[in-house]
Amino acid sequence: MAFNKIFKTSMLASALTLAAAQPAAAAWTGGDNSVELGTTITNAAFNGSTVGFSGNAALTYDAWGMQGAFTNFYLPTSAQSVTIDARSSAGNFPAFSIFRTNVAYSGDTVGQDTPAELTGQIHKFNSVGQAGDPGIIWATGTNGIVETLGYASSSANNYVNSFGGQVNSGAHDISIDNLYETGVSGSIGVTGNPAFATSKRFATLTLNDLQAGWYALFVGGADAAGTGGDITVKVTASALASTYTPPAAVPVPGAVWLFGSALAGFLGLKRKSSLAA
């Protein structure tokens, strides 16, 4: 547990240096994954196959499904708010998780889990875990996930995945500090009458004072009982820039080391004084 906390803090400290914008394999219309103030990027066809959706006991309720997909976006200017909206047919149950990264991360293995967790990673992905937790270690690192900020599930059901992660209905803020945002909120629901084909089921998250840099999304389905169908995802930045200044990360390992050295020196001086007396 102590190592896990130190590991997380180290990752957070390393994340303070923002990556420069660069081309990435983004699954967005026009290939544009940069979200400037007052703009929206869209992907209208994330895979909505029900194969492997959360809620499938055969897959121990892991992930948003083996048909889920990673993508990323870049925020060049800190925004007062950024909203992520995922919606599909009323019979489907879109869901997603959002992560802070240092680079244009798209789901590569950058860390290491136990052999059991590494087997079929996308099947064993802890989509609601914090960076460094079991089931997400394989995606954690300076070239991967630095912090998990939140998730949204449009299913009305709650699950516990094989890593002990609670996958609850609704929108959830699971960030561990205010380094990247000052709050996460959202909603789930259905637009219009579910009996009509034009109705959509949606899940949204709004991140307040989202800081400039890279972010990754993992999008899939939240309920194996869903009928499936493509999931449309939109990321929209407010027109106004954020004036929030995040706190500096405290490098706990270094602080602990310095404290230990100072304490040892103090005790040494005290012992010498006692011997001299």
Side-chain angles (χ1 to χ4, degrees):
M1 183 64 72
F3 171 79
N4 206 21
K5 289 182 179 178
I6 291 173
F7 176 78
K8 290 181 187 176
T9 306
S10 299
M11 291 299 99
L12 291 174
S14 66
L16 287 179
T17 302
L18 300 178
Q22 55 184 300
W28 303 103
T29 301
D32 179 14
N33 65 348
S34 183
V35 189
E36 287 78 16
L37 294 178
T39 67
T40 298
I41 59 174
T42 303
N43 181 299
F46 268 103
N47 193 336
S49 169
T50 57
V51 178
F53 275 5
S54 292
N56 187 341
L59 293 178
T60 58
Y61 307 111
D62 287 338
W64 297 128
M66 74 177 181
Q67 294 294 333
F70 269 100
T71 189
N72 55 72
F73 67 89
Y74 184 76
L75 188 66
T77 305
S78 298
Q80 284 192 358
S81 66
V82 170
T83 298
I84 302 163
D85 181 290
R87 57 188 61 208
S88 188
S89 64
N92 196 13
F93 298 87
F96 63 88
S97 305
I98 178 167
F99 312 93
R100 170 68 183 206
T101 64
N102 286 328
V103 297
Y105 181 68
S106 296
D108 294 331
T109 300
V110 294
Q112 184 173 353
D113 272 354
T114 66
E117 292 164 355
L118 282 172
T119 302
Q121 291 164 353
I122 204 66
H123 297 270
K124 302 295 292 182
F125 177 42
N126 185 2
S127 57
V128 299
Q130 191 49 255
D133 283 350
I136 197 173
I137 297 174
W138 63 268
T140 300
T142 55
N143 291 321
I145 293 169
V146 173
E147 183 175 337
T148 309
L149 302 181
Y151 72 91
S153 168
S154 65
S155 171
N157 297 314
N158 300 325
Y159 309 104
V160 176
N161 64 27
S162 65
F163 304 101
Q166 187 71 41
V167 185
N168 291 327
S169 172
H172 303 276
D173 180 352
I174 57 175
S175 60
I176 58 176
D177 50 47
N178 291 325
L179 287 179
Y180 309 116
E181 39 70 38
T182 58
V184 181
S185 59
S187 61
I188 62 171
V190 180
T191 61
N193 187 333
F196 294 108
T198 54
S199 297
K200 300 291 184 182
R201 190 177 300 276
F202 65 85
T204 70
L205 282 181
T206 296
L207 300 101
N208 298 324
D209 296 307
L210 194 64
Q211 297 300 290
W214 283 105
Y215 295 88
L217 291 173
F218 184 73
V219 184
D223 199 319
T227 56
D230 285 337
I231 299 172
T232 298
V233 179
K234 294 182 179 181
V235 180
T236 302
S238 62
L240 297 177
S242 171
T243 58
Y244 170 72
T245 300
V250 179
V252 172
V256 171
W257 175 257
L258 289 173
F259 175 77
S261 299
L263 182 59
F266 174 77
L267 291 176
L269 288 173
K270 187 175 180 180
R271 183 170 181 271
K272 286 181 181 179
S273 296
S274 298
L275 289 174

